[in-house]
Amino acid sequence: MTTAPDLFPRTTGTVYEEIPARPAPMLVSGPLAWMRENLFKSRFDTVLTIVTTILLVVFTLALANWVIAQANWLVITRNLRLLMVGLFPIDQVWRVNLAVLFVAFALGYSIYAYIRVSRFVQAALIGLVLTMMVVPAASALLFSTPPSFLAVGAVEVQSGTISELPQPRAAFLARQGDTVRFEIALDALNDTDLVGMSGFMDRAASGVYNAARARFRTEAEIARLDALLAGDTLTERQRAAAQDSRDGLSMPEETTATYQVNTESISIRILDGATLAQVSSAVLDIAQARDAQAGERTNSGQPIEYPVYEFVAPADGWYVLEKSLPEGSETVGILDVRGIPPILERNFTGYNEYVRITDDFTVVGGRPMFEDSQIPFISMTDNLYRGERSLPDYMSLFAGPILALLGRGLIPFIGLLAVGYGAGYALVQLRPRAPRNQSAHAPARALVGPLWAVVLTLFFVLIYGVNGYSTLDFAFMFASFAWVGWMFFAGITLNRASWGRPLFASVALTGIAQVVLLHGDTSDNVSGILLGSLVWMTIGLLAARQGYINSQRFSFRESVIGFGVSSLIWLALFLIVPLLLNAASSLGLIPALAQENVIGIVETRRWGGLLLTMVLTVVAILASFPLGVLLALGRRSSLPLVRVVCTLFIELVRGVPLITVLFMAQLLVPLINPGLANVENAIRAMVGLTLFSAAYLAENVRGGLQSVPPGQDEAARALGMGSIQITLFITLPQALRAVIPALVGQCIALFKDTSLVALVGLLDLTGMAKSITAQSEFVGTQSETYVYITVVYFIVSYFMAFISRRIEASGSGAVRRFG
Amino acid sequence: MSDVTHSENTASAEPIIICRKVNKWFGEFHVLRDVTVDVMPREVVVVIGPSGSGKSTFIRCINRLEEHQEGEIIVDNITMGHDIRNIAAIRREIGMVFQQFNLFPHLTVLNNVMLAPMNVRRWSKEKAEQKARELLDRVGIPEQAEKYPGQLSGGQQQRVAIARALAMEPKIMLFDEPTSALDPEMVKEVLDVMKEVTSSGMTMVCVTHEMGFAREVADRILFFDQGRIVETGTPEQLFDNPQHPRTKLFLSQIL
């Protein structure tokens, strides 16, 4: 039987020794090895790496050059408010700020609940805050505002076809303590010096500058043509043309000589902007200056007395600089002025505003008048300084102000993010009872939903507003909320201690007294008082009941803390705040309380910028979510009519471009029903976006529903669950979790798609950018504006994508499949 | 009905499941042919047979996950029909365990077990949780209550599925090949739990290929082939002395 060849000779069994686990070997070590491994693995890889590097470097350099040297970022600094909140009334902007801070708090809290923030992100945020704090302060400290050059005299300055007469007066804004330094521009002794000047000028000074510049250009052109004609590289026709051009040109006279720049003394008077009363005056003696300069050249030992005049502003406000040469003088003087920041006049928002570029000092109203006409103010005349600025000028005029302005918004935002984050941390420290194998941060998650509900409600209430509420009313209203919380904690104590019942009774009575008092105070009719009191009492009792039910979940310490905190809040809101407000109003610090309309309604047509973009996005997302889910369920319904209607809607909307939907909402709706013509544009855009988004969302959700295995439905049915229960508890949660990436992608797409509302006349971020670049003072700054909104869109989209990636990674969004 | 042999311990009571001439087709394919069987309370019936013989379809008809087209199924004195209320009432009394476990992956083990009692039986959260922890203890995995199904082994998942079905306090338990999707190492732990359930006196219908288990716990065995019951009897009768040639062939192939 054993004739078969012994292919597998039997060996004796062996028991192997245990081998301990070792760490994996490092395959790559050192930067050179890393580069060899990752960048230059093969010849093809090397070529690709080099080409990519070159492209990257070229692009980065070009961009940096443009950003630093070419771009005029004033368009952003000056219009930042418009880009952020649109035409929101200036005195109401605090509401938007407050609402955004609430959102920042909620964001910080949610981030704590769901996401590990890496040290890198923390460091980046801290770095950002420091940059925004340090750079403006440092650039204000280190670099003074560059000089402005002003022309003086009664001579018309020719600049091309335009002739300018130096203005005898110029208005400027100064803040108390600002030092303004006037000096004769001694540098401008010849044309080269004139061309070397750059800075903010009035038009006549600019004319002198341009004339000097033109002379040099002509000179260069003549030299070029002479060289050409002297050589023998030209054809006959070219030679004739060049000769023609040469004959048309003649060497102009020196500009400084033509206008006799800086040959006479300049008198300066500073007048008060409102009364035109003289505040101060001086004469800058040019002869003395020339002597001094000559002295400096020959004899450097002597101290030089420059004719300098310094003016210290006694108060904030308008001042008028009056400058003149001696009577009958036929010359032009150039004044070198330091310490007057350029001003912009704006009336884009319906307010006439004058804003200093460097520090955003804003004055609303009119500017100084002389003989019934407005006095021109010192401003930049054009963008001639582009690319010709030194770094200090760049820092003091651009980088400093823009960072200071951004920081004013972003630093509180980041601060509140941190506070929200800390609140989550504090909560987890207070109730460290995470169930096993859940993240330690999980207890914080329970409050994320309610927190957002409250924050978003507050957000919309603050932005849209409520008419007829005084500060006092709000204090009392929040006192009622605080009372409800108080009742909750009183409810906890009911059954736990001997003093629970008396405590509960006293809290309840306090609240009832409060409710009755308040409604007696604010309502006129008895039924209103009764109804309001009943509603609040019911809510309070429900809260107490809930506290009683949940009493086992709170430790003694927690219930005491909760009770104490809610009592303090109630006391503060019901007693202290009204007392303070009353005191303030009786002292005349704030307007009478009864008439105050703290957050009056702000019509949606005044919403704009990023605010409108975000509101449109959030409303469309919130509204389209339930609608989309219903449509998805409807499309999978077994009822044919429901199915057909849902399918028809989805396919119809998906088959039409968004812009069409928006135009339909804007234009066709009033035709369908004239009553709808009064609906505000922004609301119609919201409806259009919602319907559009719902159709796409429905398809995403349907995909998710299809991905739920049929076994899930069977298991739920076998347990006796009804179809609504199955949808709510089994199918939908799994379907939605499966499509989170698609849903977030859709949110981001929707956020970007809101820019289309600019085409139907809304001033969202894009619409605002369009109308900003249409302002005459910012003509030609489309690049800067669109680069800016690109960055804003990118940051918000990237933030959304980042959050969604982290939520998916954190597992709470992941579908946990078997195996 | 007359050819059904009752096991001796249930003779006195009314049958809890009555199937009379049940017929079902998938399209043109005749899956169940005149299936007629009674199950008495506390009886353990094991269904065996080759693949595609209609065992699973039969068991799924009992709680109407599949609809039969002809014949009559009466469970706990309620006749299966199109009346949705009847179906819901019957399903409440029947627990089912699937081959693929079908746990709800988005809920923790504890919530998987608590969900139906809270929403169908309207128990309070406290009561449901107490019951759920008790059952998880009974199936031997109390420490996994807060985990998600995806974090458990197959055997543990199937035990959770059994706990989930038992949480509704059903009168009848249906097992549809509960060990077929398991690694061999884990089959025993699930069978042990099932034995424990049978010993508590639960009425049970079980489709399985585990002949050892069938022999040990079954009061009666049904042998299915081509949609009909070919042979039935006690485990001793069927395994040791099969009558029908098809049964003989089947047993000779698997044993």
Side-chain angles (χ1 to χ4, degrees):
Chain A
M1 285 189 91
T2 54
T3 50
D6 201 3
L7 285 175
F8 303 102
R10 281 172 180 267
T11 55
T12 48
T14 310
V15 175
Y16 291 93
E17 286 190 17
E18 215 164 88
I19 304 169
R22 289 179 297 140
M26 290 283 281
L27 290 175
V28 174
S29 61
L32 272 179
W34 182 88
M35 280 167 69
R36 208 165 41 238
E37 182 68 22
N38 293 289
L39 298 179
F40 308 112
K41 206 167 189 176
S42 70
R43 234 171 254 172
F44 185 62
D45 287 3
T46 309
V47 170
L48 275 185
T49 301
I50 291 171
V51 168
T52 320
T53 312
I54 291 171
L55 282 178
L56 197 67
V57 168
V58 167
F59 175 76
T60 313
L61 284 181
L63 188 71
N65 176 47
W66 180 79
V67 166
I68 293 171
Q70 304 284 311
N72 177 11
W73 292 111
L74 283 178
V75 65
I76 305 303
T77 27
R78 292 286 37 89
N79 294 297
L80 198 59
R81 200 187 68 238
L82 292 176
L83 285 168
M84 292 296 111
V85 300
L87 307 180
F88 216 83
I90 293 177
D91 52 355
Q92 300 290 318
V93 169
W94 64 270
R95 284 158 55 176
V96 183
N97 298 340
L98 193 64
V100 169
L101 291 183
F102 281 134
V103 171
F105 178 85
L107 264 181
Y109 184 87
S110 317
I111 287 173
Y112 180 81
Y114 285 103
I115 296 171
R116 302 288 82 76
V117 177
S118 66
R119 293 200 178 278
F120 174 74
V121 175
Q122 289 174 5
L125 282 179
I126 292 172
L128 188 66
V129 169
L130 283 181
T131 311
M132 286 184 302
M133 282 162 78
V134 170
V135 171
S139 59
L141 205 68
L142 296 176
F143 313 117
S144 56
T145 320
S148 325
F149 294 97
L150 281 170
V152 187
V155 180
E156 291 230 319
V157 178
Q158 292 287 332
S159 164
T161 55
I162 301 163
S163 62
E164 294 284 352
L165 195 66
Q167 294 289 337
R169 277 163 221 92
F172 64 93
L173 275 173
R175 309 185 78 162
Q176 188 179 9
D178 276 359
T179 306
V180 186
R181 195 178 136 98
F182 299 95
E183 190 176 340
I184 290 177
L186 282 174
D187 287 347
L189 287 173
N190 57 41
D191 284 9
T192 322
D193 294 334
L194 269 181
V195 171
M197 296 188 333
S198 67
F200 305 101
M201 294 164 261
D202 63 349
R203 289 200 178 143
S206 171
V208 181
Y209 163 87
N210 283 338
R213 222 163 112 115
R215 191 174 81 88
F216 285 124
R217 280 210 201 104
T218 319
E219 207 174 64
E221 181 67 8
I222 289 173
R224 188 182 71 87
L225 288 171
D226 281 348
L228 267 181
L229 290 166
D232 53 359
T233 55
L234 298 178
T235 63
E236 274 310 306
R237 286 184 62 183
Q238 283 173 333
R239 183 170 292 275
Q243 191 63 51
D244 270 2
S245 310
R246 176 64 187 85
D247 292 345
L249 291 173
S250 60
M251 189 67 112
E253 222 183 318
E254 254 191 77
T255 312
T256 40
T258 313
Y259 297 112
Q260 298 182 47
V261 174
N262 290 353
T263 53
E264 306 215 39
S265 308
I266 301 175
S267 310
I268 292 172
R269 292 172 70 212
I270 307 283
L271 312 175
D272 182 87
T275 57
L276 292 188
Q278 178 172 319
V279 181
S280 171
S281 76
V283 176
L284 299 175
D285 191 339
I286 200 82
Q288 195 190 338
R290 285 208 191 288
D291 289 351
Q293 199 167 48
E296 184 197 24
R297 278 176 186 161
T298 53
N299 163 23
S300 56
Q302 290 292 315
I304 305 154
E305 294 261 328
Y306 281 108
V308 173
Y309 164 60
E310 284 194 351
F311 163 71
V312 180
D316 288 1
W318 281 108
Y319 291 91
V320 174
L321 164 67
E322 201 174 67
K323 51 201 180 358
S324 58
L325 293 174
E327 194 76 22
S329 165
E330 291 293 303
T331 68
V332 173
I334 304 277
L335 263 182
D336 177 335
V337 184
R338 285 163 205 263
I340 297 184
I343 313 173
L344 279 177
E345 179 183 7
R346 320 175 38 71
N347 50 14
F348 196 74
T349 51
Y351 298 77
N352 219 23
E353 290 178 276
Y354 297 90
V355 193
R356 297 215 308 194
I357 282 168
T358 51
D359 59 357
D360 211 41
F361 171 51
T362 307
V363 168
V364 180
R367 66 170 121 120
M369 307 284 282
F370 183 77
E371 289 173 353
D372 293 338
S373 62
Q374 291 185 321
I375 300 172
F377 52 75
I378 297 173
S379 151
M380 51 180 184
T381 50
D382 50 29
N383 299 324
L384 282 178
Y385 52 83
R386 276 193 184 189
E388 297 170 5
R389 284 256 168 231
S390 63
L391 184 70
D393 288 5
Y394 180 79
M395 294 305 286
S396 63
L397 286 174
F398 297 108
I402 201 169
L403 281 174
L405 215 58
L406 287 176
R408 221 187 281 170
L410 279 180
I411 290 172
F413 187 86
I414 294 174
L416 261 285
L417 270 183
V419 170
Y421 198 81
Y425 176 78
L427 192 90
V428 169
Q429 292 306 308
L430 196 68
R431 311 206 64 193
R433 278 188 233 155
R436 268 167 301 158
N437 96 74
Q438 274 186 27
S439 140
H441 297 196
R445 288 182 193 163
L447 282 180
V448 168
L451 180 68
W452 276 106
V454 170
V455 163
L456 283 178
T457 313
L458 272 178
F459 183 87
F460 284 110
V461 168
L462 271 172
I463 301 288
Y464 191 71
V466 193
N467 272 340
Y469 271 80
S470 70
T471 327
L472 210 57
D473 292 332
F474 278 109
F476 288 154
M477 195 172 81
F478 285 114
S480 298
F481 282 117
W483 175 69
V484 172
W486 205 16
M487 284 289 275
F488 177 81
F489 285 102
I492 291 177
T493 63
L494 253 185
N495 222 5
R496 301 184 88 188
S498 52
W499 37 264
R501 277 160 202 275
L503 188 76
F504 172 76
S506 55
V507 172
L509 284 176
T510 320
I512 289 168
Q514 167 199 326
V515 165
V516 172
L517 275 176
L518 283 191
H519 287 275
D521 190 38
T522 51
S523 301
D524 312 331
N525 54 348
V526 180
S527 58
I529 298 171
L530 267 178
L531 193 69
S533 311
L534 274 178
V535 167
W536 275 113
M537 280 180 220
T538 315
I539 297 175
L541 285 175
L542 283 175
R545 178 171 174 269
Q546 200 57 43
Y548 182 75
I549 291 170
N550 290 344
S551 57
Q552 293 308 317
R553 293 164 158 229
F554 290 83
S555 71
F556 182 71
R557 181 165 143 265
E558 284 162 6
S559 48
V560 167
I561 291 176
F563 188 78
V565 169
S566 52
S567 320
L568 284 180
I569 295 176
W570 182 83
L571 268 177
L573 287 168
F574 191 67
L575 294 176
I576 300 170
V577 170
L579 275 179
L580 284 178
L581 287 172
N582 251 330
S585 72
S586 64
L587 288 173
L589 294 177
I590 54 172
L593 291 175
Q595 298 147 16
E596 224 183 336
N597 194 8
V598 196
I599 51 167
I601 286 177
V602 175
E603 293 158 332
T604 55
R605 67 185 170 80
R606 303 207 62 144
W607 300 1
L610 185 62
L611 172 70
L612 181 60
T613 299
M614 289 315 288
V615 168
L616 287 174
T617 311
V618 171
V619 168
I621 289 174
L622 290 183
S624 66
F625 188 77
L627 190 61
V629 168
L630 285 180
L631 282 169
L633 293 173
R635 192 165 182 177
R636 280 169 61 91
S637 163
S638 53
L639 303 173
L641 203 61
V642 174
R643 194 170 57 232
V644 165
V645 168
C646 290
T647 310
L648 210 65
F649 175 84
I650 292 171
E651 293 305 330
L652 190 71
V653 173
R654 273 167 27 108
V656 170
L658 174 56
I659 188 67
T660 321
V661 176
L662 289 174
F663 272 120
M664 296 247 278
Q666 297 292 329
L667 306 172
L668 285 186
V669 167
L671 291 183
I672 296 166
N673 183 349
L676 293 174
N678 295 328
V679 178
E680 290 171 64
N681 274 2
I683 309 270
R684 284 189 223 170
M686 282 175 201
V687 172
L689 285 168
T690 303
L691 294 182
F692 186 78
S693 169
Y696 281 86
L697 200 133
E699 286 301 273
N700 280 336
V701 173
R702 192 165 68 101
L705 287 171
Q706 275 166 354
S707 80
V708 178
Q712 293 289 312
D713 180 66
E714 278 177 7
R717 277 197 287 150
L719 287 165
M721 293 171 73
S723 55
I724 294 175
Q725 286 176 336
I726 294 176
T727 306
L728 277 183
F729 299 130
I730 308 295
T731 338
L732 256 189
Q734 294 186 47
L736 293 180
R737 275 176 174 80
V739 295
I740 283 180
L743 293 186
V744 174
Q746 213 204 322
C747 290
I748 295 172
L750 183 67
F751 168 70
K752 293 183 291 180
D753 283 346
T754 54
S755 56
L756 281 172
V757 301
L759 292 180
V760 292
L762 291 179
L763 292 175
D764 75 318
L765 197 53
T766 308
M768 195 50 92
K770 268 180 19 176
S771 68
I772 277 169
T773 50
Q775 297 171 97
S776 58
E777 66 214 79
F778 294 118
V779 166
T781 52
Q782 275 93 344
S783 319
E784 289 85 348
T785 316
Y786 285 108
V787 164
Y788 176 77
I789 68 167
T790 305
V791 171
V792 173
Y793 276 121
F794 173 75
I795 288 174
V796 178
S797 312
Y798 189 80
F799 185 72
M800 288 188 194
F802 171 79
I803 296 277
S804 98
R805 270 204 306 278
R806 299 303 292 268
I807 288 178
E808 282 157 40
S810 80
S812 61
V815 182
R816 295 165 204 267
R817 289 260 169 261
F818 302 116
Chain B
M1 183 183 169
S2 54
D3 58 354
V4 173
T5 341
H6 291 172
S7 32
E8 73 286 353
N9 62 342
T10 57
S12 56
E14 286 279 300
I16 193 165
I17 304 172
I18 303 167
C19 302
R20 288 199 191 99
K21 295 211 175 270
V22 174
N23 277 283
K24 175 164 180 64
W25 290 262
F26 283 135
E28 287 302 305
F29 180 55
H30 198 168
V31 205
L32 295 182
R33 305 180 192 177
D34 284 349
V35 175
T36 302
V37 64
D38 283 3
V39 179
M40 304 303 285
R42 307 172 73 83
E43 189 182 17
V44 176
V45 176
V46 170
V47 184
I48 60 172
S51 297
S53 60
K55 317 182 290 289
S56 286
T57 310
F58 165 65
I59 203 173
R60 287 158 64 86
C61 280
I62 296 178
N63 68 352
R64 211 175 167 84
L65 287 180
E66 303 283 357
E67 282 180 35
H68 60 282
Q69 282 126 323
E70 275 179 15
E72 199 174 23
I73 300 179
I74 304 169
V75 179
D76 200 19
N77 292 326
I78 302 170
T79 308
M80 291 280 182
H82 289 287
D83 192 333
I84 297 170
R85 281 165 306 176
N86 277 353
I87 297 170
I90 290 172
R91 282 181 183 156
R92 230 171 279 167
E93 307 304 332
I94 304 178
M96 183 154 184
V97 176
F98 299 85
Q99 183 180 2
Q100 296 295 340
F101 329 138
N102 291 347
L103 291 181
F104 306 130
H106 60 298
L107 300 176
T108 61
V109 164
L110 189 66
N111 286 332
N112 260 284
V113 182
M114 286 163 63
L115 184 72
M118 280 170 65
N119 288 295
V120 179
R121 289 252 188 252
R122 300 280 164 206
W123 289 359
S124 72
K125 196 179 167 194
E126 286 71 27
K127 185 178 175 192
E129 182 169 342
Q130 195 195 346
K131 177 81 186 175
R133 291 203 183 271
E134 205 179 290
L135 280 167
L136 288 176
D137 203 32
R138 195 169 148 197
V139 300
I141 42 174
E143 73 286 354
Q144 314 283 9
E146 315 296 343
K147 286 193 181 168
Y148 286 87
Q151 295 166 298
L152 304 185
S153 72
Q156 289 172 327
Q157 290 191 34
Q158 194 60 295
R159 286 189 275 162
V160 174
I162 295 172
R164 178 177 72 178
L166 289 175
M168 287 290 287
E169 297 184 339
K171 293 181 179 160
I172 304 162
M173 284 285 282
L174 306 178
F175 290 84
D176 186 4
E177 303 197 28
T179 57
S180 303
L182 294 177
D183 290 346
E185 271 187 297
M186 296 165 181
V187 170
K188 186 173 176 295
E189 62 188 53
V190 173
L191 291 181
D192 285 346
V193 170
M194 287 167 66
K195 280 177 205 161
E196 198 271 333
V197 173
T198 55
S199 66
S200 72
M202 176 73 68
T203 311
M204 197 159 124
V205 181
C206 178
V207 175
T208 187
H209 293 296
E210 299 293 330
M211 294 307 153
F213 171 77
R215 186 190 278 269
E216 190 175 337
V217 302
D219 293 318
R220 187 148 52 101
I221 301 215
L222 304 180
F223 177 69
F224 262 69
D225 185 43
Q226 296 186 338
R228 60 200 172 84
I229 300 176
V230 174
E231 189 171 350
T232 177
T234 61
E236 294 75 32
Q237 290 166 346
L238 205 97
F239 286 123
D240 301 337
N241 189 17
Q243 300 300 313
H244 197 280
R246 184 67 187 90
T247 320
K248 283 180 187 161
L249 179 67
F250 177 76
L251 288 174
S252 73
Q253 276 166 345
I254 62 164
L255 286 177

